[in-house]
Amino acid sequence: RATRGGEEVKAYVPSMGQIFLRRFQMVTQFRQAIEEGQVTVHYQPKVALPGKQVLGVEALVRWQHPEFGRVNPDEFVPAVEAAGLVGVLTSFVLETALDRVRRWLDEGLRISVAVNLSVRNLADEDFPDRVAALLERFGVPGELLTLELTESDVMQDPERALPILRKLSDLGIELAVDDFGTGYSSLAYLRQLPVDQVKIDKSFVFGMGTDLGDLAVVRSIVELGHSLGLTVVAEGVEEDLARDRLEAMGCDVAQGYLISRPLSEERLEAWLQARTAR
Ligand code: C2E
Ligand code: CA
Ligand code: CA
Ligand code: CA
């Protein structure tokens, strides 16, 4: 609180209470927000290295809140999880994404979609059956769906996650370990899990042009992943230098602002068309 010429000037800094209240308010509105179309799915392309072939897209949720404006998933996803509503979020994103893949298939395009899971999905024994029902409903083969789980989520309770991951894998679904390198994976566990892909965390990819330590981490994840027979994906590819180094190391897939930011469905269509026209 500062005073200027006797007049009080208040800087707006939300208190912990206000932040808590906003989260609480948002969570209570979440279901309705989905029904009203405030919650949407954007898609970020993933391309093959070397080359530019579009292999798939990652579905990333967005919330355009009437009062708070665009709210970041890093803010509302944890609140939705804490409120026990993550099943609602995951179902919405899965349905939206599989509907998109279905329409691509109808146009003769095979583009896979990756959906982010929460650790709470892994505690839900019925989850694989629900995913199977959705694949059937949209007529999408399992191999066109990737499910991304963070390293720390999988490692939180691997014994519990394992049977669920096995069922998902048996549906032909690709399983990816997200944010790889930030958790504390036991190599023994990674080998036991029916995982197909590792995604190198973007923090290492950002640094790999300038920081030898980050470069070494990226290189060892590529080697480790390949020695376990996994596809290695790098996220957060922002610069040509990072892209070129990843390609030289043999990293399989790149995703990042250099290729494209996450796009609305309409903008993604335009982006895909501009690429195939070239
Ligand atoms: P994530 O799964 O690690 O997703 C990648 C994040 O990095 C996305 O942020 C994406 O926009 C951003 N990103 C991609 N390429 C670049 C780049 O080159 N540079 C930079 N600076 N950033 C890049 P976003 O969309 O804000 O999502 C944040 C996190 O929210 C996600 O991290 C994921 O953990 C969570 N999330 C998003 N959508 C969903 C969802 O549908 N369900 C669940 N459970 N979590 C979600
Ligand atoms: Ca992800
Ligand atoms: Ca598999
Ligand atoms: Ca990530």
Side-chain angles (χ1 to χ4, degrees), residues 33-255:
I34 287 182
E35 279 162 26
E36 290 178 358
Q38 294 167 24
V39 181
T40 56
V41 176
H42 282 211
Y43 300 94
Q44 187 177 33
K46 296 182 186 179
V47 296
L49 290 177
K52 290 183 166 175
Q53 194 200 342
V54 181
L55 299 174
V57 293
E58 178 175 3
L60 293 158
V61 71
R62 298 287 179 259
W63 187 350
Q64 188 65 39
H65 191 281
E67 187 181 339
F68 305 128
R70 185 174 158 164
V71 190
N72 200 323
D74 283 330
E75 177 176 2
F76 73 84
V77 172
V80 163
E81 283 173 346
L85 288 174
V86 84
V88 176
L89 169 66
T90 305
S91 296
F92 168 72
V93 177
L94 272 172
E95 285 179 30
T96 308
L98 291 176
D99 178 58
R100 179 62 281 194
V101 174
R102 171 73 256 159
R103 285 178 287 122
W104 278 325
L105 283 172
D106 292 342
E107 296 166 27
L109 291 170
R110 279 182 77 84
I111 299 175
S112 79
V113 73
V115 171
N116 291 285
L117 296 188
S118 144
V119 67
R120 306 252 177 160
N121 295 125
L122 290 185
D124 176 0
E125 284 169 26
D126 298 330
F127 182 69
D129 288 339
R130 275 206 293 280
V131 177
L134 286 175
L135 288 172
E136 183 143 322
R137 179 171 136 206
F138 289 99
V140 171
E143 62 264 25
L144 290 183
L145 176 64
T146 300
L147 295 174
E148 297 190 0
L149 281 150
T150 68
E151 183 184 12
S152 48
D153 281 356
V154 177
M155 294 306 154
Q156 193 168 310
D157 191 351
E159 306 290 347
R160 191 168 182 183
L162 188 58
I164 294 183
L165 297 180
R166 282 221 181 95
K167 281 187 194 159
L168 293 168
S169 181
D170 288 346
L171 294 167
I173 293 166
E174 290 271 303
L175 298 176
V177 181
D178 206 350
D179 301 349
F180 195 79
T182 58
Y184 301 91
S185 283
S186 135
L187 289 185
Y189 264 127
L190 193 63
R191 231 166 58 78
Q192 280 173 33
L193 296 172
V195 159
D196 307 285
Q197 305 176 13
V198 279
K199 280 188 96 168
I200 307 170
D201 189 67
K202 55 183 178 290
S203 60
F204 305 112
V205 179
F206 292 157
M208 67 184 284
T210 48
D211 184 307
L212 287 176
D214 287 338
L215 185 64
V217 170
V218 171
R219 195 185 299 281
S220 51
I221 296 174
V222 173
E223 281 168 16
L224 164 72
H226 284 165
S227 66
L228 294 174
L230 305 175
T231 299
V232 182
V233 183
E235 65 175 16
V237 181
E238 292 189 347
E239 292 168 356
D240 284 315
L241 179 61
R243 192 205 165 280
D244 293 346
R245 286 191 170 164
L246 288 161
E247 183 175 328
M249 284 175 198
C251 180
D252 306 287
V253 183
Q255 177 182 357

